[in-house]
Amino acid sequence: FGKIGRTLTIGWQNNTSSSDGNGRNLSALNLFDSLANEIHNEYQNLRTTQKTRTNNNNISTSYTEPIGLNKLLEFNYAYTNRHTTSEKEAHNFNPVNGKYDQINASQTNQFENDFIAHRGGANFRVQKPKYNFQLGGAVEFSELTSHSKSLQPLRDTTISQQFVNFFPTANFQYQFSRTKNLRIFYRGR
C-alpha cells in the first residue's frame, strides 16, 4: 500500500462436523400422586438414533495503519455464522412382534440453533527494541436463535436472544535478553 506497516488481512475459516449415535434405554417408571401414593408403574424400553450436524463460518479482516515511528493503529472486523442441528428419533419396543417400531413422541425431537455475530474493534500498538505493548477493544453484536420441534402438540418453541459484549485487550512484552522475556496478556469478555 505504499507505506511500511500498512497492511490488509482477510481470512475465512470453516468448520463442519457430524455425528451419528444409537442408544437404548430400559428403565422403570413409577408415577405418584400428590400424597406420595404410587398410582402407576411401567417399564420403558426404547431405542434411539441421533444425528447432529454443525457448520461454522468465520470471516475476518484487519487493517493496520502506521501513525508514527514504531506505532500502529489496527482496525478489525469479524462475522461469525454457526448453524447446528440435532435430530433424535425414539422407538418403543413392540412386544407383539419383538421390534422397535412404535414411535415415542415424547422422546423424539429436533433442535436447530443459529448464532450470528458482528464484531468490530480497534487496537493501538507500540513496537520498541526492548518492549512492545498493545491496548484496544472490540464490541460484538450477536443473536442466538433456537428452535425446538416435537411430535407432541403445542411443544414447538423458538427462543431468540440478542447480546452486546465488550472485549477489552491489553498486551505487554519486555525483552531482558535473547532468552529471557516477560509477557503479560489481558483479554476480557
Side-chain angles (χ1 to χ4, degrees):
F1 292 105
K3 192 173 188 181
I4 294 175
R6 184 180 287 162
T7 64
L8 176 65
T9 305
I10 298 172
W12 172 54
Q13 182 179 8
N14 173 265
N15 298 313
T16 59
S17 66
S18 101
S19 66
D20 297 328
N22 297 311
R24 187 166 176 207
N25 183 353
L26 180 60
S27 58
L29 301 176
N30 300 315
L31 303 175
F32 297 88
D33 64 16
S34 61
L35 299 173
N37 297 314
E38 187 173 338
I39 56 173
H40 181 73
N41 63 28
E42 66 181 68
Y43 284 93
Q44 185 177 55
N45 184 355
L46 58 92
R47 187 175 286 169
T48 60
T49 59
Q50 185 161 353
K51 296 178 182 181
T52 304
R53 306 289 183 262
T54 302
N55 187 15
N56 296 334
N57 284 287
N58 185 288
I59 299 170
S60 61
T61 185
S62 173
Y63 173 78
T64 60
E65 178 68 31
I67 57 170
L69 189 60
N70 302 321
K71 295 179 186 90
L72 287 174
L73 274 179
E74 177 198 17
F75 300 96
N76 53 66
Y77 171 78
Y79 169 76
T80 301
N81 185 331
R82 186 172 32 232
H83 180 75
T84 304
T85 60
S86 178
E87 298 176 8
K88 178 181 170 187
E89 194 169 287
H91 290 89
N92 292 324
F93 180 73
N94 185 343
V96 175
N97 63 16
K99 296 180 181 180
Y100 290 88
D101 61 359
Q102 298 173 339
I103 193 81
N104 184 315
S106 66
Q107 298 288 319
T108 298
N109 51 45
Q110 295 177 347
F111 294 100
E112 188 172 311
N113 293 308
D114 287 296
F115 176 78
I116 295 175
H118 300 272
R119 181 175 174 170
N123 296 303
F124 173 69
R125 287 192 286 180
V126 172
Q127 181 80 38
K128 297 284 187 174
K130 283 280 197 189
Y131 69 91
N132 65 71
F133 69 88
Q134 174 180 314
L135 297 171
V139 175
E140 180 178 87
F141 300 93
S142 58
E143 182 175 8
L144 175 64
T145 303
S146 300
H147 186 67
S148 172
K149 299 176 189 176
S150 174
L151 292 180
Q152 293 184 315
L154 306 175
R155 298 283 302 268
D156 290 2
T157 59
T158 299
I159 298 171
S160 187
Q161 300 171 309
Q162 295 178 343
F163 306 95
V164 177
N165 288 304
F166 176 63
F167 300 87
T169 182
N171 304 325
F172 176 78
Q173 181 174 341
Y174 188 84
Q175 190 84 28
F176 294 103
S177 68
R178 285 185 77 199
T179 59
K180 294 181 184 178
N181 63 55
L182 171 69
R183 292 182 186 177
I184 299 171
F185 295 95
Y186 173 79
R187 292 187 185 103
R189 282 193 173 180

